Amino acid sequence: MVELLLKRYLWLIDTLKRGGEMTYDEIAKQWDKSSINDCGSALSKRTFYNHCQAVARHFGIDIECRRGRGLNLYSIANPEAIEENSLTKWALDSFSLGELLIGNASIADKILLEDVPSGREWLETILEALQNNRQIELEYENFFGLKFTGSVNPLCVKLFKRRWYVLCQVREDRKRIFSLDRVKSLSVTDSTFLYPKDFMPADYFRDVFGIVAGTGGKIENIVIRTYAELPGYLRSLPMHHSQREIGSNKDYTDFSLRLRPSFDFIQELLLHRDQLEVLSPQTLRDEIAVIISNMKKHYEDSDTAKQ
């Protein structure tokens, strides 16, 4: 029942976000066509008003009524409440996309999606622990065979490249990130903990790309040179929130970024092959050059072995 109500609230927000000012009758007609209205029920005015109040209570989104000559127009009074809350925005975008896809179920074979095989079954348990500041007991094994078993304090969850991760306080002076697809077992304990007042998850990951954070590396001013179609790609989808375009001509475009050059970031740089060159700092440029040299050596050794 709670899940159904949440979908209805998201539907109402999405409908008004896309439709702008709408009359009650226009909203009711949209409800008649909605995929979540699977029983074909009408949207009564009482239910509509209750949903408006619930949207304000749960999401902080106010639905206002502008009264005209015999015509009441409803709209979202504070659209910034959507943009400023990343969770609400993500949930709304996901819901809107789901509605669009379900509405085109007849051509499902022509819509190709990416699977997210990332331990989704553990997510609800972790969120329960986060809601109540409870420790979780987990059994974990990474891809190198290193194991961890014990009670930890969950601090936040993060989605990165189709995998869900949970950041935990393992000891007072140590945090560790666990990928949910490598968790063997996980449960909420009866033990509670005090969530650190000065800890902000967004700040913790602000100066890194990906999920490797808190390693102590210093923040660097990084300049990259991009070629071919990569400049357009990075303009439309920045690599990091600190990315700035600092120069361009017909042959290349330079961007600057300010972050800690972690393992995930270096992987991202290599992803773009010969369309990206690190200009500075020299230490990062040298590190990339060594990686490329080692990659080349793998192919040379392999070719030699075949002869």
Side-chain angles (χ1 to χ4, degrees):
M1 183 62 180
V2 173
E3 183 179 354
L4 177 59
L5 287 174
L6 179 60
K7 287 182 179 179
R8 289 188 174 195
Y9 303 154
L10 289 171
W11 170 85
L12 180 57
I13 299 169
D14 182 59
T15 299
L16 289 171
K17 183 173 181 287
R18 289 185 291 107
E21 285 193 321
M22 301 176 69
T23 66
Y24 160 75
D25 288 338
E26 289 172 335
I27 296 169
K29 285 181 181 179
Q30 291 298 315
W31 171 250
D32 291 339
K33 298 185 293 184
S34 173
S35 64
I36 65 171
N37 184 17
D38 52 4
C39 60
S41 62
L43 180 67
S44 70
K45 284 191 175 182
R46 180 178 179 179
T47 298
F48 170 64
Y49 295 144
N50 288 340
H51 285 0
C52 289
Q53 293 173 1
V55 164
R57 188 167 59 250
H58 294 295
F59 297 95
I61 298 172
D62 299 320
I63 298 174
E64 66 179 2
C65 176
R66 184 168 67 86
R67 302 185 186 279
R69 297 178 180 177
L71 195 66
N72 295 334
L73 293 172
Y74 297 91
S75 64
I76 295 175
N78 55 336
E80 67 278 3
I82 299 173
E83 297 301 320
E84 292 173 359
N85 188 315
S86 60
L87 181 58
T88 298
K89 190 174 186 300
W90 190 83
L92 190 60
D93 288 345
S94 298
F95 173 83
S96 181
L97 178 60
E99 279 277 273
L100 177 63
L101 295 179
I102 291 173
N104 288 277
S106 61
I107 55 168
D109 60 322
K110 299 179 179 69
I111 302 173
L112 307 180
L113 303 174
E114 286 189 325
D115 187 22
V116 184
S118 60
R120 167 67 176 79
E121 67 270 21
W122 307 120
L123 192 57
E124 184 175 355
T125 304
I126 294 170
L127 294 180
E128 177 191 344
L130 284 169
Q131 283 277 6
N132 300 292
N133 285 349
R134 291 193 179 276
Q135 291 186 332
I136 57 175
E137 179 79 23
L138 64 81
E139 181 184 354
Y140 183 84
E141 182 176 356
N142 68 16
F143 291 140
F144 293 103
L146 298 176
K147 299 179 180 181
F148 175 90
T149 302
S151 295
V152 294
N153 303 339
L155 299 176
C156 69
V157 292
K158 181 176 173 66
L159 180 63
F160 178 66
K161 291 196 172 181
R162 299 169 54 206
R163 297 181 191 271
W164 279 103
Y165 296 84
V166 57
L167 177 69
C168 298
Q169 189 88 40
V170 179
R171 293 194 302 269
E172 186 175 347
D173 61 342
R174 185 187 175 205
K175 297 178 180 67
R176 179 171 174 179
I177 194 111
F178 297 94
S179 178
L180 298 196
D181 61 337
R182 278 155 259 174
V183 171
K184 303 298 182 183
S185 66
L186 186 150
S187 60
V188 180
T189 73
D190 293 329
S191 301
T192 60
F193 68 96
L194 291 175
Y195 195 92
K197 292 181 179 180
D198 58 347
F199 180 76
M200 296 293 292
D203 290 343
Y204 183 77
F205 290 101
R206 187 176 306 281
D207 298 320
V208 298
F209 174 90
I211 51 92
V212 179
T215 58
K218 70 174 183 176
I219 298 173
E220 302 270 14
N221 291 312
I222 298 163
V223 178
I224 58 174
R225 177 158 292 173
T226 59
Y227 305 92
E229 73 270 15
L230 185 56
Y233 179 86
L234 292 183
R235 288 187 188 110
S236 64
L237 190 62
M239 195 179 296
H240 187 256
H241 66 82
S242 66
Q243 178 182 302
R244 301 289 182 271
E245 184 172 333
I246 58 175
S248 183
N249 60 35
K250 64 182 180 64
D251 297 318
Y252 58 79
T253 298
D254 292 345
F255 294 93
S256 69
L257 304 98
R258 183 170 172 78
L259 46 70
R260 304 177 197 276
S262 64
F263 175 83
D264 290 330
F265 179 64
I266 292 173
Q267 276 196 322
E268 183 68 14
L269 296 178
L270 293 168
L271 175 69
H272 298 293
R273 302 172 31 162
D274 58 348
Q275 291 187 17
L276 187 149
E277 176 189 1
V278 174
L279 298 184
S280 64
Q282 188 64 43
T283 52
L284 180 59
R285 182 178 172 89
D286 292 343
E287 184 174 356
I288 295 291
V290 169
I291 293 172
I292 294 172
S293 177
N294 289 338
M295 291 171 63
K296 182 172 181 289
K297 188 173 184 298
H298 286 318
Y299 286 94
E300 292 173 341
D301 291 345
S302 177
D303 289 342
T304 301
K306 289 178 182 178
Q307 293 174 0

